[in-house]
Amino acid sequence: MLTADTRAVIKSTNTSDRGRASIKDVAALAGCGIATVSRVLNGSGPTSVATHDRVLAAAASLDFQLSDIGRSLRTQRTRTIGCVVPSIANPVFAQALQGLQRAARAAGHQLIVSGSNYTLDQELEAVTTLLGKQVDGLVLTVSDPETSQALDLVRERGLPHALMFNHAPSLAPCASVDNASAARLVADAFVDQGHRLLGFLALRFGSSDRSRQRFEGFGARLQEHGLEAPVLLEVDDEPAHLADHLPSLLDEHRYLTGIFASNDMLALAAMQAARTLSLRVPYDLSIVGFDGIAIGQMVEPTLATVQTDPEAMGTAAAETVLAALRNEQVSSSCDQTRFHFRPGGSLSRCRDDQTDSGEVAASPLPSPTHPREPSLKKD
Amino acid sequence: MLTADTRAVIKSTNTSDRGRASIKDVAALAGCGIATVSRVLNGSGPTSVATHDRVLAAAASLDFQLSDIGRSLRTQRTRTIGCVVPSIANPVFAQALQGLQRAARAAGHQLIVSGSNYTLDQELEAVTTLLGKQVDGLVLTVSDPETSQALDLVRERGLPHALMFNHAPSLAPCASVDNASAARLVADAFVDQGHRLLGFLALRFGSSDRSRQRFEGFGARLQEHGLEAPVLLEVDDEPAHLADHLPSLLDEHRYLTGIFASNDMLALAAMQAARTLSLRVPYDLSIVGFDGIAIGQMVEPTLATVQTDPEAMGTAAAETVLAALRNEQVSSSCDQTRFHFRPGGSLSRCRDDQTDSGEVAASPLPSPTHPREPSLKKD
DNA sequence: CTGTTAGCGCATTCAC
DNA sequence: GTGAATGCGCTAACAG
């Protein structure tokens, strides 16, 4: 009969040779079978305290860790959730990822993140790769749920999934805001301030359902106010080129008194572009964004925007797929996150305002003639 | 001898029953061995066009995809790189992730991202989990390379790795900027503008080597200019609570004319806090940041800062571990990314400046008395 | 050119 | 309580 010590000598095949220790090494060192090691380390099944301790000691001395890929192959679960968003660099998605991460981690899952750079092929490629990696679930923000091959693929596979930011309850569970309704609030805000000539600024309008929904809500509400549809200002270049193109775009539309930007990053970029043109925000041009990212409140003037809760969307999306992984029934297929219009210094009364009915003229309204500069230069 | 069709009937065990098809199903459908399927799908080894096509057809009809976990178990490689950063929500890390992602993807690798929330235990936990997942390599930004258990663990395991933002060439390959030298530039900039009473603002100073290196470079250079060491303003709360604590912190130190913030996010938050206190930036308080994130250029006044290239750091870190994965020799153990001081509206001449030597007094310097409010309210 | 075989590390059934 | 045996999906030898 072999003592534990003797066996310990006999093994020595795997551990030191190459890479990390395997469960066999631990079993050999502890003088037991691999099944026991598995049971101890997983806390499954009964074990005597004696062996329990021996296994733990052995594992510690080898600083052994069960291999996830071995387990995954066996259990067909990876404890991993895939996530693809248009851009990690956009704070709005970064915040959502934060929420996702927290929820996933709390449930013992890791996140594999992929960025699609707002393109359809990278979107599909990312999902394909993720499927190959056998993620247990998927959280996506796609360019357009109605036509997304990526989403189709996931649905075919029957993998637990949820959309973030996208709103398409009939296609997939989603965590989003009601973009159209939110955009209507923006229209109201502009109209309240006497604006009539408005533009809608979007990045790659054609490939973002969110942009379109916001545009439509905005336009529809404007028409209800008896105004014309907003002018669509589209930038479909690389986000990096924004600084180049935005100023000329704004310059071509100087007659506009207000611009609703499809998201806060764009709105901020527009504010910067306006400065380039010596247009003063909000006096010469009012700007409203969408999302409510933190930096919007740090700039001067502060950015008027639709305040949403990206982190909550991430959390909600995560909960949806986590619930599905636990085989729970998902109650609502659609998590509508709260939102509200958040006033800010970037939106003020229109200088061309002609309305005499002072009913809504409660906000501080600068006289038609303005001082040459609001702050930086002295006169 | 069985025809392909007959065999196709015989299988039917796995495919439709449960989950996805396996390589066996494809082999059966194509009427060949699994090895051939593997060869065709991987483009390894020779295959006749005939079987090649049959396999492809079979795979397509089952919409089969090779399982990464099967492959990983066999090859002991996961084509996956783990990454842990303090916070996904900080744009500086988001940008770095962007660079990382691009490089990793180009090399056929995925990224598993984890946030440590600037805490040591989450840092260690994240790395442990990542090791369990058998990532091929690791890219980290740790709180302090000298003492990080997480980094120790990785080094013990002998896994290819690289640090981002951290600068500790003796411990691990790293992609960073020379924080101390960069901070000296900031000191010069402040002194050039006649500032003498300066503060250094940091978040969790004790647990960030980057903060400390910047503080030291800043302080050392100030002393070379014959000035006192900067006052250390430390915020060690949750980043979310910044808005609460920062104003009172600044209020306690009204005598300071300039503040060097450890990073741009903090600097932006400080600018916001200053507004809360009706302190005008830069006239009442000059602020300089560090990193050079894009939003810094979108705010008004623009943020003076040290311009770095986070994306390049991500790329460099990725290249380092990718090279190691290809068994290439890493040339330099340390990739110093370029940086430069970037002037901005948030830093102006000190109003208390007593120097008569008007040599550098080129910047527009407002008179000691200012209008009551900069912009938003009318008087 | 192609099929058979042997594990990779693990969880799990089934005896003991 | 515990161990031996099986197979998850795949790639790499090795025969043929």
Side-chain angles (χ1 to χ4, degrees):
Chain A
M1 176 187 171
L2 295 165
T3 66
D5 296 308
T6 316
R7 294 195 187 200
V9 175
I10 293 179
K11 58 124 197 134
S12 80
T13 25
N14 208 337
T15 308
S16 53
D17 293 2
R18 173 96 186 78
R20 42 192 286 177
S22 118
I23 197 173
K24 286 185 199 162
D25 303 312
V26 180
L29 220 193
C32 67
I34 62 169
T36 303
V37 176
S38 176
R39 277 189 283 258
V40 170
L41 263 31
N42 286 307
S44 60
T47 47
S48 74
V49 261
T51 52
H52 179 91
D53 293 345
R54 285 214 318 286
V55 167
L56 250 41
S61 82
L62 271 54
D63 57 30
F64 170 75
Q65 199 179 352
L66 286 166
S67 157
D68 270 341
I69 74 157
R71 169 191 292 129
S72 293
L73 185 55
R74 180 60 225 258
T75 61
Q76 300 294 46
R77 302 185 65 250
T78 55
R79 294 166 173 276
T80 282
I81 292 179
C83 177
V84 12
V85 292
S87 163
I88 311 175
N90 187 328
V92 111
F93 297 118
Q95 266 183 264
L97 285 179
Q98 202 87 317
L100 249 174
Q101 169 105 250
R102 186 194 319 282
R105 184 186 296 210
H109 290 254
Q110 291 307 114
L111 224 53
I112 302 194
V113 185
S114 219
S116 70
N117 292 316
Y118 297 92
T119 68
L120 276 70
D121 51 348
Q122 288 191 62
E123 184 178 304
L124 182 57
E125 181 204 323
V127 166
T128 306
T129 311
L130 258 18
L131 288 176
K133 278 218 167 325
Q134 239 105 321
V135 294
D136 293 339
L138 234 17
V139 174
L140 314 172
T141 298
V142 298
S143 89
D144 185 349
E146 309 276 353
T147 62
S148 170
Q149 296 181 53
L151 180 56
D152 284 349
L153 193 52
V154 177
R155 281 158 47 92
E156 276 174 22
R157 285 283 213 289
L159 208 66
H161 62 282
L163 296 175
M164 272 189 323
F165 297 96
N166 297 119
H167 180 62
S170 60
L171 293 175
C174 45
S176 63
V177 298
D178 182 342
N179 288 303
S181 299
R184 299 170 79 86
L185 295 185
V186 177
D188 288 341
F190 271 119
V191 171
D192 271 359
Q193 297 296 320
H195 291 269
R196 327 198 106 248
L197 295 171
L198 298 166
F200 181 85
L201 178 62
L203 178 71
R204 293 209 182 81
F205 181 75
S207 62
S208 168
D209 66 322
R210 300 169 309 281
S211 270
R212 284 203 305 279
Q213 290 165 358
R214 290 165 197 173
F215 179 67
E216 280 159 22
F218 187 53
R221 186 60 177 161
L222 287 182
Q223 294 196 0
E224 290 175 18
H225 279 294
L227 300 183
E228 288 179 24
V231 180
L232 177 60
L233 308 181
E234 189 175 356
V235 195
D236 53 0
D237 279 310
E238 285 293 307
H241 298 164
L242 269 184
D244 301 336
H245 300 303
L246 223 35
S248 55
L249 189 62
L250 292 190
D251 201 23
E252 292 168 16
H253 298 274
R254 288 226 177 212
Y255 57 92
L256 297 176
T257 66
I259 287 183
F260 175 26
S262 175
N263 66 57
D264 281 353
M265 287 300 277
L266 261 182
L268 257 12
M271 283 174 66
Q272 184 183 18
R275 270 199 301 281
T276 303
L277 299 172
S278 295
L279 288 173
R280 290 152 307 168
V281 175
Y283 307 112
D284 298 319
L285 181 65
S286 282
I287 293 179
V288 175
F290 197 107
D291 285 340
I293 60 181
I295 343 156
Q297 304 311 309
M298 299 186 181
V299 304
E300 174 64 33
T302 58
L303 180 62
T305 189
V306 173
Q307 180 70 50
T308 67
D309 191 343
E311 198 163 335
M313 288 193 235
T315 307
E319 294 301 351
T320 300
V321 340
L322 288 171
L325 289 181
R326 291 188 299 259
N327 282 322
E328 293 173 6
Q329 287 307 320
V330 186
S331 53
S332 76
S333 86
C334 186
D335 249 299
Q336 289 281 21
T337 304
R338 260 184 220 311
F339 62 88
H340 65 269
F341 180 76
R342 174 170 198 155
S346 66
L347 168 62
S348 73
R349 179 144 284 274
C350 178
R351 62 172 179 207
D352 302 328
D353 185 22
Q354 317 259 334
T355 57
D356 303 302
S357 57
E359 292 181 349
V360 286
S363 52
L365 136 130
S367 55
T369 59
H370 303 284
R372 187 79 194 95
E373 282 294 307
S375 68
L376 278 186
K377 299 176 189 169
K378 58 178 182 186
D379 45 4
Chain B
M1 175 186 172
L2 295 164
T3 67
D5 296 311
T6 316
R7 294 196 184 199
V9 175
I10 292 178
K11 58 126 198 129
S12 79
T13 26
N14 207 338
T15 308
S16 52
D17 293 2
R18 173 94 188 77
R20 42 192 285 176
S22 116
I23 197 173
K24 285 185 200 162
D25 302 311
V26 181
L29 220 193
C32 67
I34 62 170
T36 303
V37 176
S38 176
R39 277 190 284 258
V40 169
L41 264 30
N42 285 306
S44 60
T47 47
S48 74
V49 261
T51 52
H52 178 93
D53 293 346
R54 286 214 318 286
V55 168
L56 250 41
S61 83
L62 271 56
D63 59 29
F64 170 77
Q65 199 179 353
L66 286 166
S67 157
D68 269 343
I69 74 158
R71 171 191 292 127
S72 294
L73 185 55
R74 180 58 226 249
T75 61
Q76 299 294 47
R77 302 185 65 252
T78 54
R79 293 168 175 275
T80 282
I81 292 178
C83 177
V84 13
V85 292
S87 162
I88 312 176
N90 187 328
V92 113
F93 297 119
Q95 266 185 263
L97 286 179
Q98 202 87 319
L100 248 175
Q101 169 105 255
R102 186 195 319 282
R105 182 185 297 209
H109 289 254
Q110 291 308 114
L111 226 52
I112 303 194
V113 185
S114 218
S116 69
N117 291 318
Y118 297 92
T119 67
L120 277 69
D121 51 347
Q122 287 191 60
E123 184 177 304
L124 182 57
E125 181 205 323
V127 166
T128 305
T129 310
L130 258 17
L131 287 176
K133 278 218 166 326
Q134 240 105 322
V135 294
D136 293 339
L138 234 19
V139 172
L140 314 172
T141 297
V142 298
S143 89
D144 185 350
E146 310 277 353
T147 62
S148 169
Q149 296 182 53
L151 180 56
D152 284 349
L153 192 53
V154 177
R155 281 159 48 92
E156 275 174 22
R157 284 282 213 287
L159 208 65
H161 63 283
L163 295 176
M164 273 189 325
F165 298 96
N166 298 119
H167 180 61
S170 60
L171 293 174
C174 45
S176 63
V177 297
D178 182 341
N179 287 303
S181 298
R184 299 171 78 86
L185 295 185
V186 177
D188 288 342
F190 271 120
V191 171
D192 271 1
Q193 297 296 320
H195 290 270
R196 327 198 106 249
L197 295 171
L198 299 167
F200 182 84
L201 178 63
L203 178 69
R204 292 209 181 85
F205 183 75
S207 62
S208 167
D209 66 324
R210 300 169 311 280
S211 269
R212 285 202 305 278
Q213 291 165 358
R214 290 165 197 173
F215 179 67
E216 280 159 22
F218 188 53
R221 186 60 177 161
L222 286 183
Q223 294 197 358
E224 290 174 19
H225 280 293
L227 299 184
E228 288 179 23
V231 180
L232 178 59
L233 309 180
E234 190 176 354
V235 195
D236 54 359
D237 279 310
E238 285 293 308
H241 296 164
L242 270 184
D244 300 336
H245 300 303
L246 224 34
S248 55
L249 190 61
L250 292 189
D251 201 24
E252 292 168 16
H253 299 272
R254 290 224 177 212
Y255 57 92
L256 297 175
T257 67
I259 286 182
F260 176 24
S262 175
N263 67 56
D264 282 354
M265 287 301 277
L266 260 183
L268 257 12
M271 284 174 65
Q272 185 182 18
R275 270 199 300 281
T276 303
L277 299 172
S278 295
L279 287 173
R280 289 149 307 165
V281 175
Y283 307 114
D284 299 320
L285 180 66
S286 282
I287 293 179
V288 175
F290 197 109
D291 286 338
I293 60 180
I295 345 152
Q297 305 311 308
M298 299 187 181
V299 305
E300 176 62 33
T302 58
L303 181 61
T305 188
V306 173
Q307 181 68 51
T308 67
D309 191 344
E311 196 164 336
M313 288 193 238
T315 308
E319 294 301 352
T320 299
V321 340
L322 288 171
L325 289 180
R326 291 187 300 258
N327 281 322
E328 293 173 8
Q329 287 306 321
V330 185
S331 54
S332 76
S333 86
C334 186
D335 251 299
Q336 288 282 19
T337 303
R338 260 184 219 314
F339 62 89
H340 65 270
F341 179 76
R342 174 170 198 154
S346 66
L347 167 62
S348 74
R349 180 145 282 276
C350 177
R351 63 169 179 208
D352 301 329
D353 185 22
Q354 317 261 335
T355 59
D356 303 304
S357 57
E359 292 180 350
V360 286
S363 54
L365 134 132
S367 55
T369 59
H370 304 284
R372 188 80 194 94
E373 280 294 308
S375 68
L376 279 186
K377 298 178 190 168
K378 59 177 180 186
D379 44 5

